[in-house]
Amino acid sequence: MAYELPPLPYDYNALEPYIDEATMRVHHDGHHGAYVKNVNAALEGTQFANLPIEEVLRRINEVPENIRTAVRNNGGGHANHSMFWRIMKPHGGGAPTGALADAINATFGSFEQFKEQLNDAGNKRFGSGWAWLVMDQSGKLQVISTANQDNPLMDGLYPIMGIDVWEHAYYLKYQNRRGEYLNAWWNVANWDEIARRYEEARGVR
Ligand code: MN
């Protein structure tokens, strides 16, 4: 069954003033829509077409070579954005609580230090990509960044949260000020969903 573009879980203007409506429209309908269309076209007729996208990404090296780059870019784009819409919400922000907060404090020293590391990873990613909080196979948290639409699952890491630092994610409102976008992003963080993904990571690794 072909993948479908998941509807946004809130209105296009719901993340204002941090992320503007025009950006959300072109980002969701245009960019994510194209990733879905393109990954479906690439996988059509292959044994991977019926698998959850996360499994396809974990097994990216088994995908036939002639479609692997298309699946990497567009399948990655589909998975990344499906997560991204859900880890944001209107009136979000604040700080994580519970086991996730404990793990962040134990690993990075404090929530503020964690935010700094993730922002730094996003700011230093040259060109297009993502900044991530991931869990490795030993259960340890790490901040990393990936190029393009690469997803941590391709490297055996579990993505807990990722911030899109492609220019299409911020350029209409922030132009070249990626750092300003990254600082603003934390005001829409959906810690319930991020904590749910953390628990899922603990369960699957
Ligand atoms: Mn994007």
Side-chain angles (χ1 to χ4, degrees), residues 3 20 31 34 39-40 44 50 53 64 71 79 83 89 91 100-101 107 111 128 135 152 157 179 187 194:
Y3 303 119
D20 60 292
H31 291 274
V39 71
N40 284 338
E44 195 180 349
N50 294 313
I53 191 63
V71 172
M83 170 210 67
K89 70 171 186 181
H91 312 293
L100 173 60
T107 308
F111 177 57
S128 298
M135 185 182 286
L157 301 166
N187 292 293
I194 297 165

Side-chain angles (χ1 to χ4, degrees), residues 27 31-32 35 77 81 84-85 130 149 164-166 168-169:
H27 199 178
H31 291 274
H32 191 176
Y35 298 132
H81 290 83
F84 190 56
W85 313 131
W130 291 72
Q149 294 296 352
D164 191 344
V165 297
W166 281 58
H168 69 221

Side-chain angles (χ1 to χ4, degrees), residues 122-137:
N123 278 314
K124 285 186 176 152
R125 165 53 50 190
F126 189 77
S128 298
W130 291 72
W132 300 94
L133 173 67
V134 301
M135 185 182 286
D136 70 17
Q137 283 171 4

Side-chain angles (χ1 to χ4, degrees), residues 35 53-54 56-58 60-61 68-81 83 125 127-134 144-166 168 197:
Y35 298 132
I53 191 63
E54 291 79 10
V56 176
L57 300 184
R58 271 194 296 269
I60 190 69
N61 292 325
R68 195 178 302 152
T69 300
V71 172
R72 187 177 192 101
N73 291 338
N74 295 285
H78 175 39
N80 294 349
H81 290 83
M83 170 210 67
R125 165 53 50 190
S128 298
W130 291 72
W132 300 94
L133 173 67
V134 301
I144 63 163
S145 77
T146 58
N148 303 315
Q149 294 296 352
D150 285 1
N151 183 289
L153 291 168
M154 296 169 182
D155 295 316
L157 301 166
Y158 190 89
I160 294 169
M161 65 183 286
I163 306 179
D164 191 344
V165 297
W166 281 58
H168 69 221
R197 294 180 63 87

